[in-house]
């Protein structure tokens, strides 16, 4: 390693720079290898549900129904397009991280100061850092003057941290967070002072780069609903394929007609293969994402819309999510007086004026530090019409904050040319030391500090002094300071957070705060927002000593995690998932990105959030409104409920269709259903399962019940029984009508009336399934335009098919009498009535979770 002297910093030579770059590469984060369009297409088509869609489209082509085939295959291309778009979006997380990690940099090379792109920084480069700079690489500080850095990007802590020069420049780079450490990290922002650093890590080896590596290795998980739907589709595909083959073979062997056997098998295949399942899943989630977007929530991973409805734990980053990420002066202490600043503009009592006055004088005129900004804003708000603001005063000298004395002073002179005025501010203990406090004074100060710090506030002491015009002393201690007062600063809680968290608890969703801030601050925030168990917490160092099993046990009733670093946030999410929780994670910083991606549902803040967080998340709150999460949860539960009803309808309606295709073959009856009949039924089934059920409102108590368990099956045994009862009733009544009519009518007339019965039962199933608890007659009062259109359109089309000779011939129907029609309609209505009685059977047991909402 090259050693540099403070007297003459020459930096690296060009040859050394080239050698370092050949060895380590550029200071940038590599993006994931991009898949080309063909690879994405193959990956999508290999999914069983898409194979099934394509197979069904081919079946339509074989039957000559080109319009239906194009419509179905069109769904495939739309889904492929959506998937391709999402694949492109996910690559942007690393691209955003790469851009963030490569700001411009000032370095010394060959003894000269030069400005270079951040990606060209190499190890052992000498960097010059100043207020407003973005640090381009991890470095050890050789020299620092009043140097503070905003590390919230990495730690989540809103207040800047002080930095000091390293005593040993060969020391290994430590972790972000904490004051007076000699390290500056890539991507962080310098808020005050100047420093010189020597680069130790670049690219993927920086703290920012480690986050990038974590993002690169994490795989997006399929939601439970996606997994279940895939299993159902595969099961139906296998069973349908086997039965289809059996029907063709049996029909050919028993009747000797291979063509009719093929038609019978094709009808059964079309009846058995539930091509609606993947289409419904896609349509519901896409429309759900569109509906949620009206509430300013952007959906990046569409399946997360449904998954959010099953979330049991919401992991919340404090800074910028629960709070405004904007430091504010909350309290002023002067003597025994304490003034609590409200949100409304009001007159500040005279006794507190000097505290604000000298705090501003001790700060830069145009501050960059968030706390100094808060002091200046308070002065402009409270002292605008007083003599305590001094825009005309001239700065004579500044005494910077140092590691030995955590206080800074500024020396001013007024236009009148009176004595010099010195204003000091800093850590209360340091300011008290400048004022030469006695023991009673220190006890008073400790009581005031405890009062403010117990509320999670940062405390700043303020002092003043006067000095005759002469040579200024070298040390702040040489002034005779008088203690003025204290300022308590906080990052205020968002106004609507408490109500939103209460609603989450009502919905059975546990809330956990994960922050890089101190435990005292985190517990104070927890009490303000109504978090449960606000006095229990785990710190980052403590978590580092816990095994995965120990963390899994502790995490069941601890809701505050303080002083956390990025990899620990990720570990918390993984521990919750191992406990069987469905985890939603909110955040806005780069430090949140791995946890956002690892959680079942990552929710990023769109306004204040970084590009990295937004690209890694599943959902983005465009207006940073925490209440939008509650809305998204409600929408997610509504989507799942309506999706379940749609899936139940699909299963119920396929039972009689499959039965009417299979039974005539087994009993050597004339075929009841032909492919044209299946197509007619699909004209009802498709809009019903995609539009009618999707448009229904949520149940009134949707946010008063616990989330469903992660292992809840879409088709559990009670649900399958209800579907079997609905489908079995329809099949039995339809077969009964067919046999009764066929006894003294033609096969064509029996086919027409049994088909009419089937259609009436189908429409009745739609009405019945619109609510799993309320009777269908009550659902007629619920607004649903799609339901009215489907009912009206089906009735008119069915009348045309039964009355127009050409259409009757196309459907192979015979003429029927009014009495026969009345019999068929009665059979259908009786079946619907029996379906309503099925609702008296409980759909499922009460959801009994083993994990309590702590």
């Amino acid at each position: 390693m090259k050693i540099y002297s403070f007297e003459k910093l020459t930096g690296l030579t060009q040859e050394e720079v080239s050698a370092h770059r050949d060895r380590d590469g550029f200071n940038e984060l590599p993006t994931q290898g991009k898949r080309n369009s063909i690879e994405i297409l193959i990956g999508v088509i290999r999914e069983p549900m898409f194979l099934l869609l394509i197979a069904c489209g081919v079946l339509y082509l074989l039957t000559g129904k080109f319009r239906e085939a194009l419509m179905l295959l069109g769904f495939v291309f739309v889904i492929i397009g959506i998937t391709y778009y999402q694949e492109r979006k996910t690559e942007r997380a690393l691209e955003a991280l790469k851009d963030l990690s490569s700001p411009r940099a000032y370095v010394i090379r060959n003894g000269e100061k030069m400005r270079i792109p951040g990606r060209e920084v190499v190890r052992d480069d000498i960097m010059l850092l100043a207020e407003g700079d973005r640090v381009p690489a991890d470095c050890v500080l050789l020299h620092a003057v009043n140097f503070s850095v905003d590390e919230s990007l990495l730690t989540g802590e809103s207040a800047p941290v002080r930095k000091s020069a390293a005593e040993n420049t060969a020391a290994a780079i430590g972790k972000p967070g904490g004051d007076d450490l000699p390290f500056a990290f890539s991507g962080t922002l310098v808020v005050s002072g100047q420093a010189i650093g020597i680069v130790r890590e670049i690219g993927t080896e920086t703290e920012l780069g480690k986050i990038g590596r974590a993002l690169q290795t994490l795989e997006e998980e399929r939601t439970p609903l996606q997994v279940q739907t895939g299993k159902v589709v595969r099961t139906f595909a296998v069973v349908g394929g086997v039965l289809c083959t059996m029907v063709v073979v049996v029909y050919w062997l028993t009747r000797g007609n291979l063509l009719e056997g093929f038609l019978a098998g094709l009808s059964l295949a079309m009846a058995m293969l539930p091509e609606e399942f993947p289409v419904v899943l896609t349509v519901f989630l896409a429309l759900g994402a569109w509906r949620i977007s009206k509430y300013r929530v952007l959906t990046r991973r569409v399946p997360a819309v449904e998954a959010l409805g099953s979330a049991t734990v919401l992991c919340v980053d404090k800074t910028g999510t629960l709070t405004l990420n904007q430091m504010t002066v909350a309290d002023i202490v002067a003597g025994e007086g304490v003034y609590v600043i409200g949100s409304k503009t009001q007159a500040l009592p005279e006794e507190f004026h000097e505290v604000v006055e000298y705090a501003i004088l001790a700060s830069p005129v145009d501050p960059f530090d968030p706390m100094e900004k808060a002091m200046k804003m308070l002065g402009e708000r409270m002292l605008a019409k007083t003599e305590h603001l001094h825009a005309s005063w001239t700065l004579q000298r500044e005494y910077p904050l140092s590691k030995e004395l955590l206080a800074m002073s500024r020396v001013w002179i007024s236009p009148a040319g009176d004595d010099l005025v010195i204003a000091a501010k800093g850590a209360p203990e340091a300011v008290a030391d400048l004022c030469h406090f006695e023991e009673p004074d220190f006890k008073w100060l400790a009581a005031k500090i405890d009062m403010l710090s117990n509320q999670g506030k940062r405390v700043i002491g303020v002092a003043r002094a006067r000095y005759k015009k002469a040579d200024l002393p070298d040390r702040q201690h040489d002034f005779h300071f008088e203690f003025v007062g204290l300022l308590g600063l906080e990052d205020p809680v968002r106004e609507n957070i408490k109500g939103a968290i209460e609603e989450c608890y009502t919905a059975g969703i546990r809330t956990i705060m994960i922050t890089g801030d101190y435990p005292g601050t985190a517990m104070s925030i927890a009490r303000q927002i109504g978090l449960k168990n606000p006095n229990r917490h785990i710190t980052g160092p403590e978590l580092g000593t816990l095994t995965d099993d120990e963390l899994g046990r502790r995490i069941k009733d601890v809701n505050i995690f303080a002083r956390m670093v990025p990899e620990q946030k990720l570990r918390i999410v993984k521990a919750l998932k191992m406990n069987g929780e469905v985890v939603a994670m909110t955040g806005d910083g780069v430090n949140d990105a791995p946890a956002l991606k690892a959680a079942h549902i990552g929710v990023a803040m769109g306004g204040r959030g970084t590009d990295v967080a937004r690209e890694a998340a599943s959902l983005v709150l465009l207006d940073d409104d925490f209440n939008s999460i509650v809305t998204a949860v409600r929408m997610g539960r509504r989507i799942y409920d309506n999706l379940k009803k749609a899936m139940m309808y699909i299963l119920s309606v396929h039972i009689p269709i499959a039965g009417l295709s299979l039974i005539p073959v087994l009993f050597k009856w004339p075929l009841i259903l032909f492919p044209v009949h299946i197509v007619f039924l699909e004209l009802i089934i498709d809009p019903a399962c995609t539009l009618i059920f999707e448009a229904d409102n949520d149940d009134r108590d949707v946010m008063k019940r616990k989330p469903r368990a992660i292992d809840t099956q879409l088709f559990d045994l009670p649900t399958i029984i209800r579907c079997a009862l609905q489908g079995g009733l329809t099949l039995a009544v339809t077969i009964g009508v067919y046999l009764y009519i066929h006894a003294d009518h033609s096969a064509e007339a029996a086919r027409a009336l049994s088909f009419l019965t089937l259609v009436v039962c189908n429409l009745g199933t739609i009405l019945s399934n619109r609510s799993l608890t309320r009777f269908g007659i009550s659902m007629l009062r619920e607004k649903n335009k799609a339901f009215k259109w489907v009912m009206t359109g089906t009735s008119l089309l069915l009348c045309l098919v039964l009355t127009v000779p050409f259409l009757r011939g196309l459907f192979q129907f015979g003429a029927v009498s009014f009495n026969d029609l009345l019999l068929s309609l009665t059979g259908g209505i009786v079946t619907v009535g029996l379906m309503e009685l099925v609702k008296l059977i409980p759909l499922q047991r009460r959801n009994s979770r083993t994990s309590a909402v702590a």
Side-chain angles (χ1 to χ4, degrees), residues 647-656 722-723 726-727 765 769:
M647 295 294 193
M648 288 177 61
Y649 163 72
I650 294 170
L651 183 58
S652 298
V653 81
H654 273 81
I655 291 173
R722 173 173 284 187
C723 294
Q726 287 186 332
T765 304
N769 278 19

Side-chain angles (χ1 to χ4, degrees), residues 809-829:
L810 184 64
F811 278 74
Q812 300 189 42
F813 286 166
V816 294
S817 65
F818 177 77
N819 290 335
D820 294 333
L821 287 173
L822 195 58
L823 172 67
S824 181
L825 290 172
T826 302
I829 293 172

Side-chain angles (χ1 to χ4, degrees), residues 16-122:
E16 289 172 321
V17 170
S18 299
H20 281 63
R21 184 167 298 132
D22 291 340
R23 181 188 67 192
D24 302 322
F26 283 98
N27 179 35
E28 59 186 4
L29 300 179
T31 56
Q32 273 180 317
K34 298 180 181 179
R35 294 190 296 165
N36 59 41
S37 301
I38 300 299
E39 290 173 328
I40 294 176
L41 180 63
I42 293 174
V44 173
I45 293 177
R46 287 175 60 187
E47 289 289 331
M49 61 176 61
F50 296 132
L51 288 173
L52 183 57
L53 281 170
I54 294 172
C56 290
V58 173
L59 290 177
Y60 277 125
L61 287 173
L62 293 175
T63 59
K65 301 299 176 181
F66 297 104
R67 182 177 299 175
E68 290 78 6
L70 290 175
M71 183 182 301
L72 188 59
L73 292 174
F75 275 116
V76 178
F77 293 122
V78 169
I79 295 170
I80 290 173
I82 293 174
T83 306
Y84 177 78
Y85 176 74
Q86 290 300 326
E87 290 287 344
R88 291 284 302 140
K89 291 279 284 184
T90 55
E91 292 171 358
R92 295 183 184 175
L94 290 175
E95 292 175 3
L97 198 58
K98 176 182 175 182
D99 292 340
L100 187 60
S101 67
S102 187
R104 307 290 289 182
Y106 276 112
V107 297
I108 296 177
R109 290 178 179 172
N110 295 316
E112 295 182 1
K113 175 183 173 181
M114 60 179 64
R115 187 173 178 86
I116 62 173
R119 69 186 298 269
E120 295 182 7
V121 170
V122 298

Side-chain angles (χ1 to χ4, degrees), residues 149 154 183 185 242 322 335 337 366 381 474 522 530 676 694 745 779:
V149 179
L154 298 172
F183 314 117
F185 299 92
V242 171
L322 297 176
D366 187 16
R381 174 182 161 194
D474 294 329
V676 65
E694 195 281 331
H745 289 70
M779 297 303 297

Side-chain angles (χ1 to χ4, degrees), residues 563-595:
R563 303 303 292 169
M564 293 290 143
V565 295
E567 53 266 32
Q568 290 176 323
K569 293 187 177 187
L570 183 59
R571 190 179 170 199
I572 290 170
V573 171
K574 290 181 176 179
L576 288 167
K577 291 168 71 174
M578 288 178 62
N579 282 351
E581 306 283 5
V582 180
V583 184
M585 166 76 186
T586 72
D588 61 355
V590 173
N591 61 308
D592 299 318

Side-chain angles (χ1 to χ4, degrees), residues 693-767:
F693 291 108
E694 195 281 331
D696 275 332
N697 294 323
D698 52 68
D699 292 334
R700 297 181 182 91
D701 64 343
V702 69
M703 290 298 287
K704 295 181 180 179
R705 63 180 189 236
K706 291 183 178 181
R708 68 182 187 277
I710 193 171
D711 57 351
T712 298
Q713 296 296 310
L714 188 65
F715 290 107
D716 53 9
L717 184 58
T719 303
I720 293 174
I721 291 174
R722 173 173 284 187
C723 294
L725 288 173
Q726 287 186 332
L729 284 171
T730 300
L731 177 61
V733 172
T734 304
I735 288 292
V737 169
Y738 177 83
L739 293 176
Y740 180 80
I741 299 296
H742 190 243
D744 54 2
H745 289 70
S746 66
E748 287 76 12
R751 182 181 296 119
L753 292 173
S754 60
F755 184 75
L756 173 61
T757 304
L758 178 61
V759 172
V760 172
C761 291
N762 192 339
L763 297 176
T765 304
I766 296 172
L767 178 62

Side-chain angles (χ1 to χ4, degrees), residues 55-70 72 244 259 262-271 275 673-680 682 810:
C56 290
V58 173
L59 290 177
Y60 277 125
L61 287 173
L62 293 175
T63 59
K65 301 299 176 181
F66 297 104
R67 182 177 299 175
E68 290 78 6
L70 290 175
L72 188 59
C244 174
L259 180 59
F262 176 75
L263 290 173
L266 189 60
S267 297
L268 179 62
M270 296 176 68
E275 73 275 10
L673 293 181
F674 290 99
V676 65
H677 303 139
I678 308 296
V679 171
F680 184 96
E682 289 295 331
L810 184 64

